[in-house]
Structure formats: C-alpha cells, structure tokens
Amino acid sequence: REPKYCPYAELTMFTSFRAKLTAIVGTAAFAFLVLIVVSSASTRQVSQQLGDIRDRFLPKMELGPQLEAQYEQLRRGLQDAGAARDGDALENTRDQYDAVLQRLSAAHGVIDEADAAALRGAVQEYYESGYDISRRMIEGETGEDLVSAMSSMQARQNRATLLLEQA
C-alpha cells in the first residue's frame, strides 16, 4: 500500500534541510570566531615575550661583554701597575674602577638589583684589595703578609668574576 500524499511533508523536509544548513554554517562561523580569538591571544602573548626579550635580554647580552672587558681592563691595570712599580698607573686604575661602577649603575633594569648590589660589592672588595697590594708592591714590600694578602685578593677576584658571569 502506498503512503498518502501530504503537502506539508515537503515543507517540513525543506525546513529541516534549511535548519541543517544553517546549523552547519553557524558551527563553522563559531569555529572561525574561536580561531580568531585564540590567534589574537597567542599573538598578544608572543608580542609580550618579544618585548621582554627586546627590553631585558638583548641589553643584558650587550652589557655582559662590556662589563667583562672593563673588569678585565681594571684587573690588568692593577697587575701591571704593581709589576711595573708605577704609582701613576695605579692611580689611573681609579678611572677604570669608576667606569665599571658606572656601567653597573647604568644596568638598572637589566640586572636584578640584588645581583647588581652583590656584584658592586664584590668588585669594590676586589679593587680595594688589589689596589692595596699593588701599592704595597710599589713601595717594595715583600714577605708572607703580602703573599697572604695576594691569596685573599685572588679569592675576592674569583668571587667578583663568578658574580660577573652570573649577572
């Protein structure tokens, strides 16, 4: 037996097809909107990380070799002044010492304040010890006291070098 013809059946079938098509398009639009939101959030996060790299890490990479070079110049100046017994050369190391401290002060925001303070203190201890030893060598002092002071100065130099590498 054949089913009866119902004119509303075609309309219902057409409406359900339209609803299905609308649901598919709506779902695709929603997925596209979610993709845009996630992409925007990801872009914002990447931009923030790039800003951090630009503002903190690049200056730190630039600062490190400059500080190391100035510190090495200071260290070498103290050694040379003591070895040559040259008081004027020893006095010139004060400018080198001041330059290292100025570079550390200019590193505000690049190096953590605690690290900068520790490094500043270590460089100061090393410089004072190295200056004193060089002065004593220029004056012609020898003996176990000088050797003991040199050993102490080398420990301070190693500490300053280590903190410089970590900063």
Side-chain angles (χ1 to χ4, degrees):
R1 164 173 176 173
E2 284 196 33
K4 279 184 162 182
Y5 174 73
C6 177
Y8 298 110
E10 287 180 19
L11 183 63
T12 307
M13 187 185 312
F14 181 71
T15 304
S16 67
F17 178 72
R18 180 176 278 169
K20 289 177 186 177
L21 190 57
T22 303
I24 290 171
V25 170
T27 303
F30 178 73
F32 187 65
L33 183 63
V34 167
L35 184 64
I36 289 172
V37 168
V38 168
S39 176
S40 176
S42 175
T43 300
R44 192 175 317 117
Q45 185 178 12
V46 167
S47 294
Q48 183 180 14
Q49 288 175 347
L50 284 174
D52 288 344
I53 290 170
R54 182 187 63 242
D55 296 341
R56 182 170 171 93
F57 296 114
L58 287 179
K60 195 171 190 176
M61 289 177 65
E62 186 178 302
L63 178 69
Q66 292 171 348
L67 264 175
E68 288 173 8
Q70 285 183 321
Y71 177 73
E72 179 62 25
Q73 186 179 12
L74 173 64
R75 188 186 67 76
R76 195 76 186 149
L78 288 170
Q79 284 180 346
D80 292 348
R85 295 184 181 204
D86 185 353
D88 292 334
L90 183 60
E91 285 302 315
N92 289 338
T93 62
R94 288 192 188 275
D95 293 335
Q96 296 166 343
Y97 172 67
D98 290 339
V100 170
L101 293 183
Q102 284 176 346
R103 179 73 57 167
L104 277 172
S105 295
H108 179 72
V110 177
I111 299 176
D112 293 333
E113 289 298 320
D115 292 342
L119 180 56
R120 190 177 300 110
V123 169
Q124 181 178 2
E125 288 176 6
Y126 163 68
Y127 179 74
E128 289 171 357
S129 178
Y131 187 90
D132 181 56
I133 289 171
S134 295
R135 181 190 51 77
R136 289 164 64 182
M137 289 174 68
I138 290 169
E139 292 172 354
E141 183 179 331
T142 59
E144 287 183 33
D145 287 342
L146 185 63
V147 172
S148 176
M150 283 180 170
S151 177
S152 175
M153 181 214 45
Q154 286 176 342
R156 289 181 175 127
Q157 177 186 346
N158 291 338
R159 180 174 179 267
T161 301
L162 180 67
L163 289 175
L164 183 61
E165 289 171 355
Q166 291 175 350

